Amino acid sequence: MRVLIAYASRYGATQGIAERIAATLRQQGLEATVQPARQAADPAGYDAAVIGSAAYYFHWMKPAASFVRRNARALANRPVWLFSSGPLGTKDKDDQGRDLREFLEPKEIAKFRETLKPRDHRVFFGAMDSAKLGFLHRLVYKLPANRDNALFPQGDFRNWTEIDSWAATIAHSLKAP
Ligand SMILES: Cc1cc2nc3c(=O)[nH]c(=O)nc-3n(C[C@H](O)[C@H](O)[C@H](O)COP(=O)(O)O)c2cc1C
């Protein structure tokens, strides 16, 4: 069974998650192809798809959202899983008690749930290294509101156990008779 994994990643954290999911699918005997969403293949040539994006300012990155929109028909006709990589830090909730995975769910996902009927959408904690940020992201990072990294904690918060187990559920579901 052939699975396309398409991702959008600005600094590599989401790419790492996509590659890790592919590795788990391969261990489970599936054929997984990982491609940046900007130049990803037509999902019609695959049995299933996993699509992920980093979240910036409450949105998926354009290449991932465009990939979904331009391939909506093919995606709606096969099993699809979505993931987002976003929240930073070690806390599940913010100071106001909001669950970060829910609060930071990218705005596109509600619509994609309707159009694609994905089997699941999962928000994973991401990673950020301020030394790598581009000009505009660095400006935001340096805003007074982010004093002491209040908004954007720095580090790698990807939870590989959680990612592996999610990928394993995808594999089991695809291999189920
Ligand atoms: C300027 C800036 C804005 C961000 N906005 C969000 C956001 O709205 N929601 C979120 O969950 N994460 C946000 N993040 C965190 C990133 O999504 C996270 O670092 C992600 O894992 C980066 O993935 P990438 O390396 O693949 O680009 C933001 C990070 C930066 C630097």
Side-chain angles (χ1 to χ4, degrees):
M1 185 170 287
R2 285 159 51 85
V3 185
L4 176 65
I5 302 173
Y7 67 88
S9 176
R10 174 75 197 266
Y11 302 108
T14 314
Q15 180 178 357
I17 295 173
E19 284 167 356
R20 182 82 171 210
I21 291 168
T24 301
L25 296 186
R26 287 182 196 124
Q27 276 166 19
Q28 297 283 337
L30 300 165
E31 201 182 311
T33 303
V34 186
Q35 292 179 338
R38 194 183 291 283
Q39 62 220 46
D42 184 341
Y46 293 80
D47 301 301
V50 180
I51 305 152
S53 176
Y56 287 98
Y57 315 114
F58 295 93
H59 287 279
W60 262 22
M61 292 177 67
K62 280 221 173 72
S66 306
F67 175 83
V68 167
R69 293 187 184 113
R70 90 176 162 264
N71 293 294
R73 188 187 295 240
L75 292 170
N77 285 328
R78 40 189 48 68
V80 169
W81 284 262
L82 306 177
F83 71 90
S84 305
S85 118
L88 298 168
T90 53
K91 295 182 191 155
D92 287 329
K93 296 190 172 177
D94 67 9
D95 292 345
Q96 296 169 56
R98 292 177 297 209
D99 185 306
L100 285 174
R101 286 182 178 82
E102 287 172 19
F103 175 61
L104 291 171
E105 179 177 284
K107 302 293 182 204
E108 290 76 11
I109 300 301
K111 183 78 183 163
F112 292 165
R113 277 202 186 91
E114 284 174 27
T115 53
L116 307 185
K117 307 257 187 305
R119 301 276 180 103
D120 194 16
H121 166 253
R122 188 63 74 89
V123 174
F124 294 119
F125 274 66
M128 197 264 289
D129 173 356
S130 66
K132 285 193 193 165
L133 294 179
F135 180 71
L136 286 176
H137 285 169
R138 186 180 299 263
L139 283 185
V140 175
Y141 179 76
K142 290 196 166 165
L143 286 175
N146 190 40
R147 192 179 312 163
D148 300 327
N149 284 350
L151 296 178
F152 302 114
Q154 222 188 143
D156 188 345
F157 306 99
R158 291 171 293 180
N159 181 333
W160 298 114
T161 309
E162 190 188 2
I163 292 162
D164 291 346
S165 100
W166 190 67
T169 64
I170 294 176
H172 290 149
S173 159
L174 289 174
K175 291 197 304 182

